[in-house]
Amino acid sequence: MDLPNIIRNFKSEASRVGYGKAAWQFLYEIVNRLLHIRRFDVIFLTREHLLPLDPAKYARHGSRLATEADLQRMRHEGGWHIGDELIDGFRNGDACLLSTVDGKIAGYTWVHTLGRPLLIPGLRISIPGNYAYNFAGFTPPEYRGYGLQPFRHHEVLNRPEWRDKAGMIGYVDATNFSSKKGQSKSGYQRLGRLTLIGSKKHFIVLVSQELKQLGIRRLPSNL
């Protein structure tokens, strides 16, 4: 074990997220060398918690649903993180909302509305019918700072396809503190937790009581 390197990495992480969170992350990694454990926070964003948008700031913004031709072109261009899994999901009913700035594609977010999203290989969960499942958002570096994430949240929930939804549900790794901070800034709140225990391929899932009350549970991954 390279102790100096461990200490250096710990200090680097602590300077970014704080000593308490860095210590928790360190313990989490040590435990996972013995037993595979992952914790996911299920988060939700309701219409009441959408961040307000300044119309003047977003005058150049727009959005539209992607076609398969759009996705194939973006995959061919590279840099958009469009792989076979997303294409297959699109063919099975997932939708991709493209955001634009001055008419140019400036990122996307994906929406699953069938109520049974696959979070990771081997873990599919049920989603309440009055929520959409939001995942796989991406903004190219040159368009970061344009406020596209909250803009896309408004665009998704204001489209006729999802106007009947109370909000959106997603998830984030419980130890991904930077991602959790970003989601919190976007208005997302923690709904409950999924805890995976076992190995990377075979694990049990503990569902928190808050999620059970909403009907969120593990489903067979082959659905």
Side-chain angles (χ1 to χ4, degrees):
M1 181 177 291
D2 186 354
L3 184 58
N5 189 49
I6 291 175
I7 294 174
R8 184 165 53 251
N9 290 339
F10 176 79
K11 288 182 176 180
S12 175
E13 185 70 7
S15 67
R16 193 172 63 86
V17 302
Y19 279 94
K21 290 179 178 178
W24 179 252
Q25 177 68 23
F26 177 75
L27 177 61
Y28 185 70
E29 292 176 359
I30 291 297
V31 170
N32 267 275
R33 295 184 180 184
L34 305 174
L35 178 66
H36 183 68
I37 298 176
R38 295 187 70 180
R39 299 175 305 134
F40 296 120
D41 285 338
V42 176
I43 55 179
F44 73 120
L45 175 64
T46 63
R47 293 179 182 276
E48 293 75 17
H49 291 95
L50 285 171
L51 298 183
L53 301 181
D54 179 1
K57 179 179 178 181
Y58 290 92
R60 301 159 55 197
H61 293 47
S63 70
R64 64 179 176 85
L65 290 179
T67 65
E68 184 168 344
D70 290 322
L71 299 175
Q72 294 289 4
R73 184 178 65 255
M74 293 165 72
R75 178 164 66 171
H76 180 73
E77 290 174 356
W80 288 102
H81 307 291
I82 303 291
D84 291 341
E85 185 177 341
L86 289 177
I87 297 292
D88 290 342
F90 179 84
R91 291 171 177 168
N92 288 321
D94 289 345
C96 177
L97 182 80
L98 301 175
S99 53
T100 63
V101 175
D102 296 329
K104 297 181 180 180
I105 296 176
Y108 59 74
T109 192
W110 284 78
V111 182
H112 172 93
T113 57
L114 299 180
R116 50 177 191 273
L118 184 70
L119 271 61
I120 62 172
L123 178 58
R124 188 180 296 278
I125 64 171
S126 59
I127 294 293
N130 60 331
Y131 281 90
Y133 178 74
N134 182 225
F135 68 104
F138 175 71
T139 302
E142 62 269 28
Y143 286 108
R144 290 169 190 169
Y146 283 73
L148 286 165
Q149 187 175 42
F151 172 75
R152 289 192 291 258
H153 292 156
H154 279 263
E155 293 296 290
V156 165
L157 291 178
N158 286 326
R159 289 194 62 87
E161 294 89 346
W162 305 298
R163 208 169 279 159
D164 64 329
K165 304 298 182 183
M168 299 183 293
I169 285 179
Y171 85 99
V172 61
D173 193 301
T175 59
N176 189 342
F177 300 112
S178 59
S179 181
K180 290 172 70 173
K181 182 178 180 181
Q183 297 291 5
S184 178
K185 285 184 176 180
S186 295
Y188 273 95
Q189 300 180 58
R190 183 177 177 273
L191 190 57
R193 177 164 289 175
L194 301 169
T195 303
L196 283 57
I197 303 174
S199 67
K200 291 183 178 181
K201 292 185 177 181
H202 303 285
F203 49 81
I204 62 170
V205 180
L206 304 180
V207 182
S208 67
Q209 191 61 35
E210 306 97 322
L211 300 184
K212 290 180 180 178
Q213 290 174 351
L214 286 174
I216 296 177
R217 59 189 176 87
R218 184 182 189 181
L219 298 173
S221 58
N222 59 353
L223 281 179

